Amino acid sequence: MKKLIAFLNPRTAAGAAGAGRPRVVCLCGSTRFWAELAEANLRETAAGRIVLAPGVDMKTPHKLWADGQDAEELKVRLDELHRAKLRMADEVLVVNPGGYVGDSTRAEVSYALSLGLPVRYTDSTEAAAGPPATESPVAGSRSTEARALASYELADWQCPHCDETAIKGTHAWDDRGPHQLLSVHVLRCPAGHSWSNHNDGG
């Protein structure tokens, strides 16, 4: 396993968030890095912090999300749950081996920053092999034109109908007003299935 490099926090965690309570850190990152998330959880806990982390890896088959509709509904609930965890946290640690930060994680980081939370990373964000193209803004709003997803971003998405990894996809931001900014993915798998995913990004 690649050694995680950004757990070196000179401050003592215990008591940092207030008398009688250790500091609370929320982990963010793709579940493709499940082992690295577990390692981060271990190290942060050993350092004296309370850890809030993803609890479900939907890339691993399970009867709870075997049905496509169940999977879609569960993903929405998990996204909402993770945002609630962010609201409970004192800081965020992004688990990003090789510098990889996918769209879902970027949306979580944006939300965390809007809450005023400090954000740490396990790896340098400059280590990723080529950043994805930037979405072009739509005049007069926070919406953007759709952009094609890079191959490493597509690896985050499995078809809810056949579990194949997406081979094509786009991402855009959809401005729904001052209190809602949707992260919109439209995806396609090798079997020809198409699906979309909408997450509230801010």
Side-chain angles (χ1 to χ4, degrees):
M1 180 186 297
K2 183 177 178 179
K3 184 178 179 181
L4 301 180
I5 63 173
F7 297 98
L8 303 179
N9 189 333
R11 295 186 300 173
T12 301
R21 179 172 74 78
R23 196 164 177 83
V24 178
V25 59
C26 184
L27 303 185
C28 293
S30 171
T31 56
R32 68 191 293 186
F33 303 127
W34 198 249
E36 288 85 350
L37 284 163
E39 177 72 8
N41 196 329
L42 181 153
R43 289 174 177 266
E44 292 295 310
T45 301
R49 302 179 182 92
I50 296 171
V51 180
L52 304 175
V56 174
D57 177 14
M58 293 187 67
K59 291 181 174 59
T60 300
H62 194 284
K63 62 182 180 181
L64 286 179
W65 51 86
D67 177 78
Q69 183 62 34
D70 290 344
E72 286 292 325
E73 293 174 356
L74 177 59
K75 189 175 191 313
V76 171
R77 293 198 301 272
L78 292 176
D79 289 340
E80 293 173 350
L81 181 63
H82 199 73
R83 288 166 67 87
K85 291 178 181 179
L86 287 168
R87 292 192 293 272
M88 297 171 65
D90 298 308
E91 64 176 309
V92 171
L93 175 61
V94 180
V95 178
N96 64 319
Y100 174 82
V101 180
D103 284 327
S104 295
T105 302
R106 278 197 293 272
E108 292 169 356
V109 170
S110 295
Y111 184 65
L113 292 173
S114 76
L115 297 174
L117 298 176
V119 177
R120 295 183 284 133
Y121 293 81
T122 59
D123 285 40
S124 169
T125 55
E126 298 178 356
T134 302
E135 290 95 343
S136 301
V138 175
S141 78
R142 296 180 296 169
S143 296
T144 63
E145 301 290 346
R147 67 167 177 83
L149 296 176
S151 58
Y152 69 84
E153 294 176 286
L154 291 169
D156 264 346
W157 297 95
Q158 282 184 301
C159 177
H161 308 289
C162 66
D163 291 332
E164 291 283 348
T165 300
I167 58 170
K168 290 183 179 180
T170 61
H171 176 262
W173 293 100
D174 183 10
D175 189 353
R176 296 294 183 89
H179 303 297
Q180 189 175 41
L181 181 64
L182 292 182
S183 174
V184 181
H185 290 84
V186 179
L187 303 135
R188 184 179 178 86
C189 78
H193 299 128
S194 297
W195 73 101
S196 62
N197 180 268
H198 299 70
N199 290 323
D200 188 352

